[in-house]
Amino acid sequence: MNVDWDWIKQRPHFIAEGLATKNEIKVIYQYRYQRDGLQNNDRTVPLAPIYVIPKIDNLKYFNRINLFIKKNFVERQIKNFKPNIIYLTYPTQIYSIPDDYDGKIVYDCMDDHLAINNESRESIFKAEKILVQRANIVITSSKSLRNKLENRYNISRISIVRNGFNGPILKIKQQQLKRNKHLTLAYIGTISHWFDTEVIKKSLKEIPELNYLLIGPFDAGERISDPRVNYMGTVNHNQLFNKIKNVDALIMPFQVNQIIESVDPVKLYEYINFNKDILSVEYDEIERFNSFVYFYKTYENYIAQLKELMQAKSIKYTDADRKEFLEKNSWLERVREVNSLLEK
């Protein structure tokens, strides 16, 4: 996987933990020396961290040293562990697989890597093309990603395994909504360049009673300097509900671009589990959440939808709808889909 095991839990973490219930696995990842923003995730699976030379990955020529370290480490792990299947989550990981490896390869694509890595687009394209041709199974987390990979590499054997939520389903009673003068909206997740700070700043000016609680690692972008914006930082997954149980609604204020258009956001599944109203930017991939989410496309629409949800006497969905949706969209169900593909 391409993130530290102690990074905020994402698709690779959940799938690795789920696969370990039926398979003997080992997780290889690059150790992150800068530990700020990380959390202590459970060691539920055998881990094999790669220790490279810090701060040289972006230096021309010198980064080859780390590439050699990673390739050598992975080759040793493969030699000792003798895996039947290697599960890759990033295009350039294919370069660490020995030419004589005769097992199966799975490529699980959860992002449009070409759009994210615009500066190294050509090299990512080359690696991903090699990977999809070599892989026995190609999985994407969204319909948009499947379409992009099919058109980009002229392949049609791609399976969609969407993201999910990390159970169990919380037992939360839907309380009578109280409409306080002061409103608090919460965001949970990585705060990076895709986070729409302009929507937040403009809404703070327009609505003096509005407050924001931002939970998660600050990775990039603009940090808003306002006393009504509380950056809480990383919170362990099992403590999240206690941090947001008194907020008025949960938000997903993203800037819609090529990257976001391909994302099936884990946070929407988890937001639904928290039994709160949800306000999110709208794009095609997440229209299926329509019965659970107040969608907006413009800033004016954001304010209008916020006012509408605050005037409602109950949240947008019922507890029965919530439980039915979560039962069908848990990580347990997603791992069953992956296991089914592996068995075939």
Side-chain angles (χ1 to χ4, degrees):
M1 51 191 280
N2 221 36
V3 293
D4 193 293
W5 182 257
D6 287 326
W7 187 247
I8 186 171
K9 291 185 78 170
Q10 298 177 358
R11 179 184 178 95
H13 298 80
F14 295 122
I15 290 183
E17 289 175 332
L19 288 176
T21 63
K22 285 191 66 174
N23 309 276
E24 182 184 356
I25 80 166
K26 178 176 283 189
V27 174
I28 301 175
Y29 68 94
Q30 183 172 323
Y31 180 84
R32 176 172 171 162
Y33 289 94
Q34 181 62 40
R35 308 306 288 174
D36 292 343
L38 300 188
Q39 55 193 24
N40 294 318
N41 289 326
D42 294 335
R43 267 55 181 164
T44 54
V45 296
L47 302 175
I50 305 173
Y51 297 96
V52 298
I53 301 173
K55 301 181 179 180
I56 69 168
D57 275 343
N58 295 322
L59 299 177
K60 194 174 182 180
Y61 304 120
F62 289 99
N63 63 355
R64 296 177 184 177
I65 300 173
N66 278 349
L67 292 175
F68 174 80
I69 293 172
K70 286 187 275 190
K71 182 175 175 62
N72 186 262
F73 181 88
V74 172
E75 287 181 347
R76 290 201 315 272
Q77 292 292 325
I78 292 173
K79 181 179 179 180
N80 295 330
F81 191 63
K82 297 181 174 59
N84 305 108
I85 300 169
I86 297 177
Y87 197 107
L88 304 180
T89 61
Y90 193 78
T92 56
Q93 292 170 353
I94 188 63
Y95 294 140
S96 294
I97 309 304
D99 293 337
D100 60 354
Y101 173 71
D102 59 359
K104 307 293 184 182
I105 290 180
V106 176
Y107 175 38
D108 186 350
C109 181
M110 59 182 282
D111 289 304
D112 184 355
H113 299 296
L114 267 66
I116 295 174
N117 301 277
N118 194 48
E119 294 180 359
S120 53
R121 184 181 178 90
E122 186 175 341
S123 61
I124 296 293
F125 174 82
K126 181 180 178 181
E128 193 166 53
K129 184 176 182 179
I130 294 171
L131 176 51
V132 298
Q133 291 173 343
R134 172 66 178 85
N136 302 88
I137 298 173
V138 179
I139 299 170
T140 64
S141 59
S142 70
K143 183 177 179 181
S144 173
L145 271 178
R146 184 192 65 183
N147 294 341
K148 286 183 178 181
L149 263 59
E150 285 180 345
N151 294 331
R152 197 174 284 165
Y153 305 112
N154 194 28
I155 60 171
S156 57
R157 50 184 177 81
I158 300 176
S159 301
I160 298 176
V161 177
R162 295 193 181 277
N163 290 325
F165 90 101
N166 186 37
I169 299 174
L170 297 176
K171 295 180 180 179
I172 307 169
K173 292 183 179 180
Q174 288 192 347
Q175 301 174 346
Q176 184 68 27
L177 294 179
K178 58 181 188 296
R179 298 306 181 190
N180 295 326
K181 181 178 179 181
H182 295 281
L183 310 176
T184 301
L185 307 181
Y187 167 84
I188 303 171
T190 303
I191 301 164
S192 193
H193 51 80
W194 57 75
F195 189 84
D196 195 342
T197 55
E198 288 303 310
V199 163
I200 306 300
K201 290 192 297 183
K202 289 174 71 173
S203 63
L204 287 167
K205 290 180 180 179
E206 184 166 342
I207 306 176
E209 301 83 15
L210 190 56
N211 298 273
Y212 286 96
L213 174 63
L214 308 182
I215 301 174
F218 188 88
D219 187 46
E222 178 187 355
R223 188 181 289 269
I224 303 169
S225 297
D226 191 295
R228 290 182 288 145
V229 179
N230 177 12
Y231 288 89
M232 185 170 286
T234 302
V235 171
N236 282 337
H237 198 269
N238 59 6
Q239 298 174 0
L240 284 175
F241 180 70
N242 284 333
K243 299 297 182 182
I244 59 91
K245 63 182 179 181
N246 294 321
V247 305
D248 296 283
L250 301 168
I251 59 170
M252 196 177 84
F254 287 171
Q255 299 180 53
V256 179
N257 52 31
Q258 270 190 301
I259 300 169
I260 296 301
E261 284 173 349
S262 297
V263 171
D264 180 39
V266 172
K267 71 176 80 286
L268 285 186
Y269 297 92
E270 298 190 337
Y271 281 5
I272 293 169
N273 195 29
F274 292 143
N275 221 355
K276 294 281 186 181
D277 267 320
I278 302 165
L279 178 60
S280 170
V281 69
E282 182 179 8
Y283 56 96
D284 290 347
E285 194 64 47
I286 60 174
E287 284 184 354
R288 69 186 191 284
F289 289 94
N290 184 60
S291 59
F292 296 91
V293 176
Y294 288 89
F295 282 122
Y296 73 92
K297 287 190 175 181
T298 64
Y299 168 72
E300 291 74 20
N301 197 203
Y302 177 87
I303 296 298
Q305 292 287 72
L306 174 58
K307 291 179 178 178
E308 181 177 338
L309 77 84
M310 294 311 301
Q311 291 170 1
K313 295 181 180 180
S314 62
I315 70 171
K316 191 170 185 179
Y317 48 94
T318 68
D319 195 48
D321 291 338
R322 176 179 76 101
K323 290 177 180 177
E324 181 182 3
F325 176 85
L326 295 176
E327 285 170 356
K328 293 179 179 178
N329 292 280
S330 68
W331 280 115
L332 178 62
E333 288 298 317
R334 301 301 189 241
V335 171
R336 284 174 180 163
E337 294 175 42
V338 174
N339 269 318
S340 177
L341 291 170
L342 298 184
E343 288 166 1
K344 291 177 182 178

